[in-house]
């Protein structure tokens, strides 16, 4: 590691992680300035570095590369650094150092994954990312948050173990820690294990339920960090290692469509946003699966835009939660009166995720949909159109409508602190800027871009789709057929560890503890019986041995019970007649002599 520390520069990942260690030692304005400087320093460092392999070192004889910079990793590095600055700005008023340190380590680990040029450093940063993000959930300090954090880390431990097994097998096969394209081979266990490890972090169905379980339980500021890094670093890795994998096209299509139904039913707005996050990552997986230059460009561009508008949506709902303590549709409504700026920022985020023309989602999502058209994958093209209308329905309309309009909840909160408004304002500005002028975004994509989003046919078709979604929402609301907002937990595939886990506990309790109880009773009975036998054995032996004496004496003691009582009393008091003792000894010696003669 000396090559890194004495090279004069640090990788962006270590700027965050090492910088986070000093946060508890600072206070006041100095701490706030320091927190903001770390992502800016990482961003400037990245901008100054040319493409190539940087920060090479070795560990236990293995070559490590902490800075593989090319078109793909650079685009993700830019957006990770940028959203880190926005998230830190949004969280400046937080007095909890655990959240600051966890957020910075989480961002640094995501950059470490992005720029890792070898499998070992990739795995190390992958695990740091899982641990640091768990603290952002625990930091809310509620019983439900603790439960969600436990389930979250258990799922990611499983994912990490799958990735580790794949990494070890891959290094054993190739003899090197370097990696790039891997590809999914049905006869290659290493590639399958690595694929599954990444798929868990990408929240690919049916491995997705950890996301909507955990993210809504994080703190208002922690959810902003969470929305940016785990799934998008998995998207980056899929684009790096499995581009052109046809399976991802269909998994991505399912991922884009299925969450829509759950999002419509959800009452908790942050859970609605979690489902829409899965929906949007589904578009990216389709792009990775197609694997053409247009599709990969669309994936990277959509990840870039998605991180911004999803952070903006989580910030706007987080600001509402910060000011009211509530995040359910049934508890909110009518907040536009006293939170007009937050309302405006939320609408901009909603318009962006819905891909309205002049907003960022329009110039990125359409690249992926166009790639399905170029590939003549008609079924997937139709599914993505349906998913586009669905996300407009639940994230584009439902979130701002039930939060700021709808019924009047009677709540009159003020606007959030200035730093929160500034963070939302920066993200909102970028959503509009990239939607109006996509050139800067297209210039950092991995492949040259010839795509033109603003054509008459494309704009008209997209507006028709959005208006159809708005009309459907309006008709459902006016007819009273819109699914009622109910305080409930809608079980997804997490039923396995919510219900299945509880059932397993009950079964295990009844079966294994029942076996233990039966075993305990049998053992106790056997011990009592053995103790009674040992207690009675000397008397019984004495009665049997002395029976001839009783018989030869001709006395009244020939009665068996009376003789037994006599022997017991004699043994208890030690008053055995001398003659009987001599006779027993004589019989014993006779037995010994007989045995000796036989042998």
């Amino acid at each position: 590691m000396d090559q890194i520390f004495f090279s004069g520069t640090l990788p962006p990942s270590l700027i965050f992680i090492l910088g986070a260690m000093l946060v508890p030692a600072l206070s006041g304005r100095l701490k706030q300035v320091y927190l903001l400087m770390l992502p800016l320093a990482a961003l400037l460092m990245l901008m100054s570095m040319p493409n190539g392999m940087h920060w090479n070192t070795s560990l236990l004889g293995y070559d490590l590369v902490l800075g593989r910079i090319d078109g793909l990793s650079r685009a993700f590095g830019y957006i990770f650094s940028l959203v880190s600055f926005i998230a830190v700005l949004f969280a400046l008023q937080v007095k909890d150092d655990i959240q600051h340190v966890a957020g910075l380590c989480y961002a640094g680990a995501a950059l470490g994954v992005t720029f890792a040029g070898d499998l070992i450093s990739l795995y190390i940063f992958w695990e740091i990312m899982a641990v640091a993000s768990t603290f952002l959930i625990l930091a809310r300090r509620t019983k439900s948050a603790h439960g969600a954090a436990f389930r979250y880390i258990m799922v990611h431990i499983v994912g990490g173990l799958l990735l580790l097994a794949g990494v070890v097998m891959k290094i054993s096969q190739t003899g090197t820690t370097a990696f790039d394209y891997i590809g999914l081979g049905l006869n290659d266990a290493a590639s399958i294990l690595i694929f599954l490890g990444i798929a868990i972090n990408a929240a690919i169905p049916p491995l997705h339920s950890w996301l909507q379980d955990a993210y809504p339980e994080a703190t208002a500021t922690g959810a902003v960090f969470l929305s940016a890094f785990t799934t998008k670093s998995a998207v980056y890795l899929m684009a790096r290692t499995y581009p052109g994998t046809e399976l991802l096209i269909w998994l991505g299509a399912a991922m884009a469509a299925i969450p829509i139904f759950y999002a419509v039913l959800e009452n908790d707005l942050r859970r609605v946003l979690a489902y829409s996050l899965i929906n949007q990552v589904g578009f990216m997986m389709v792009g990775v699966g197609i694997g053409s230059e247009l599709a990969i460009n669309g994936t990277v561009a959509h990840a870039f835009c998605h991180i911004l508008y999803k952070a903006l949506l989580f910030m706007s709902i987080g600001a509402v939660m910060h000011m009211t303590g509530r995040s359910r549709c049934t508890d909110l409504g009518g907040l536009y009166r006293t939170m007009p700026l937050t309302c405006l920022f939320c609408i901009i985020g909603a318009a962006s995720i819905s891909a309205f023309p002049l907003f960022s989602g329009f110039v990125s999502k359409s690249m992926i949909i166009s790639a399905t058209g170029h590939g003549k994958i008609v079924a997937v093209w139709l599914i993505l159109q349906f998913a586009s209308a669905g996300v407009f329905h639940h994230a584009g309309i439902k979130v701002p409508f039930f939060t700021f309009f709808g019924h009047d909840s009677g709540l009159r909160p003020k606007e959030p602190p200035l730093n929160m408004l500034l963070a939302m304002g920066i993200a909102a500005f970028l959503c509009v800027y990239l939607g109006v002028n996509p050139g800067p975004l297209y210039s950092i994509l991995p492949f040259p871009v010839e795509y033109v989003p603003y054509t008459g046919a494309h704009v008209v078709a997209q507006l028709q789709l959005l208006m159809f979604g708005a009309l459907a929402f309006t008709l459902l609301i006016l007819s009273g057929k819109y699914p009622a907002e109910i305080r409930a937990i809608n079980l997804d595939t997490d039923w396995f560890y919510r219900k299945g886990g509880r059932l397993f506990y009950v079964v295990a309790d009844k079966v294994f503890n029942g076996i233990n109880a039966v075993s305990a009773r049998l053992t106790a009975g056997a011990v009592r019986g053995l103790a009674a036998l040992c207690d009675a054995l000397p008397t019984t032996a004495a009665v049997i041995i002395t029976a001839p004496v009783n018989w030869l004496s001709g006395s009244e003691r020939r009665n068996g019970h009376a003789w037994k009582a006599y022997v017991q009393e004699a043994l208890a008091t030690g008053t055995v007649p001398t003659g009987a003792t001599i006779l027993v000894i004589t019989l014993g010696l006779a037995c010994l002599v007989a045995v000796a003669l036989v042998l």
Side-chain angles (χ1 to χ4, degrees), residues 254-268:
M255 200 172 173
I258 293 173
I260 292 171
F261 303 99
Y262 286 99
V264 171
L265 297 175
E266 274 297 339
N267 185 27
D268 189 312

Side-chain angles (χ1 to χ4, degrees), residues 87-149:
V88 168
L89 178 60
F90 186 73
L92 274 187
Q93 84 288 345
V94 173
K95 304 301 181 186
D96 184 2
D97 282 341
I98 291 177
Q99 291 191 55
H100 290 306
V101 173
L104 291 173
C105 289
Y106 183 32
L111 284 167
V113 168
T114 303
F115 293 116
D118 66 278
L119 290 168
I120 293 177
S121 57
L122 166 69
Y123 176 73
I124 293 172
F125 285 120
W126 191 264
E127 291 303 301
I128 294 174
M129 199 165 57
V131 174
S133 55
T134 303
F135 279 93
L136 293 174
I137 305 167
L138 288 171
R140 197 174 177 190
R141 297 180 174 85
T142 64
K143 183 179 178 182
S144 59
H146 289 170

Side-chain angles (χ1 to χ4, degrees), residues 179-521:
F179 77 99
D180 202 339
Y181 173 77
I182 294 177
L184 185 60
L186 296 179
N187 296 322
D188 185 356
S191 72
I192 294 174
L193 290 170
I194 293 174
F195 181 87
L196 289 174
I198 300 172
I200 287 178
N201 271 28
I204 292 178
L207 309 173
H208 66 284
S209 55
W210 59 266
L211 197 153
Q212 77 273 359
D213 178 33
Y215 284 14
E217 298 297 340
T219 62
T221 54
V224 181
F225 283 94
L226 289 168
S227 70
F229 297 123
T230 298
T231 51
K232 259 60 77 185
S233 58
V235 169
Y236 161 78
L237 272 184
M238 283 293 189
R240 168 73 68 187
T241 54
Y242 296 95
T245 301
E246 186 176 353
L247 177 63
L248 283 174
I249 299 176
W250 299 102
L251 289 174
M255 200 172 173
I258 293 173
I260 292 171
F261 303 99
Y262 286 99
V264 171
L265 297 175
E266 274 297 339
N267 185 27
D268 189 312
L269 288 164
R270 297 206 302 170
R271 207 172 290 275
V272 173
L273 292 179
Y275 273 116
S276 71
L277 193 158
I278 298 172
N279 159 275
Q280 295 296 290
V281 174
F283 282 83
M284 300 172 209
M285 286 301 154
V286 170
V288 174
I290 295 172
S292 64
E293 290 190 359
L294 175 61
I296 295 296
N297 275 343
T299 298
V300 177
H302 200 46
F304 196 102
C305 294
H306 170 75
I307 287 172
L308 285 173
Y309 61 64
K310 184 58 67 178
L312 176 56
L313 287 169
F314 268 106
M315 284 192 288
S316 58
I317 300 304
V320 169
M321 196 173 80
H322 178 74
M323 300 306 295
T324 66
R326 305 175 188 187
S327 62
R328 296 178 183 273
C329 295
T330 47
D331 298 337
L332 298 171
L335 300 188
Y336 74 93
R337 296 178 178 85
T338 55
M339 301 181 75
L341 288 176
T342 305
C343 175
L344 174 63
F345 296 142
C346 183
I347 291 173
I348 292 175
S352 299
I353 195 173
S354 304
F356 263 94
L358 304 180
F359 293 90
S360 57
F362 179 78
V363 302
S364 59
K365 187 189 297 181
S366 58
M367 298 176 78
I368 299 173
I369 296 177
S370 296
T372 62
H374 291 177
K376 299 183 176 12
I377 315 172
V378 178
V380 175
W381 184 87
L382 289 172
I383 292 172
L384 295 188
Q385 294 291 355
F386 165 75
S388 295
V391 77
F392 173 55
H393 180 272
H394 69 257
I397 300 177
K398 178 176 180 175
V399 171
F401 178 79
F402 284 105
T403 307
F404 299 100
F405 304 100
H407 79 284
D408 186 0
S409 62
L411 299 173
R412 296 293 183 267
K414 296 179 181 177
E415 291 281 15
L418 179 60
N419 63 294
M420 286 185 159
L421 289 173
L422 286 174
M424 288 188 284
I426 293 172
F429 167 76
L430 291 172
C431 287
V432 177
Y433 175 75
L434 293 177
V436 174
N437 180 29
L441 172 63
Y442 288 172
S443 69
I444 62 170
L445 297 181
F447 303 104
V449 177
E450 298 178 355
Y451 183 74
V452 179
Y454 287 105
T455 64
H458 183 204
V459 172
V460 171
Q462 183 65 13
L463 287 175
Q464 286 178 337
L465 185 70
L466 295 172
M467 290 306 104
F468 172 77
L471 178 63
F473 180 85
T474 304
L475 292 176
L476 288 172
I477 287 289
L478 293 178
S479 64
K481 296 186 180 301
Y482 190 86
E485 303 301 329
I486 301 173
R487 292 174 177 272
I489 296 175
N490 297 314
L491 288 180
D492 198 333
T493 53
D494 54 346
W495 66 267
F496 175 75
Y497 47 78
R498 281 185 179 269
K499 295 294 184 183
R502 189 170 300 174
L503 176 63
F504 174 78
Y505 173 80
V506 171
V507 171
D509 178 53
K510 298 296 183 185
V511 173
F512 294 112
N513 285 338
I515 292 174
N516 285 340
V518 171
S519 300
R521 284 197 292 272

Side-chain angles (χ1 to χ4, degrees), residues 4-5 33 44 49 61 77 153 165 169 206 258 262 295 321 360 381 562:
I4 294 175
F5 289 110
V33 172
L44 291 175
M49 298 300 292
I153 191 63
M169 294 176 69
I258 293 173
Y262 286 99
M321 196 173 80
S360 57
W381 184 87

Side-chain angles (χ1 to χ4, degrees), residues 33 58 89 161 164 220 282 350 404 410 435 438 453 520 563 578:
V33 172
S58 62
L89 178 60
L161 289 175
L164 176 61
F404 299 100
W563 180 250
T578 304

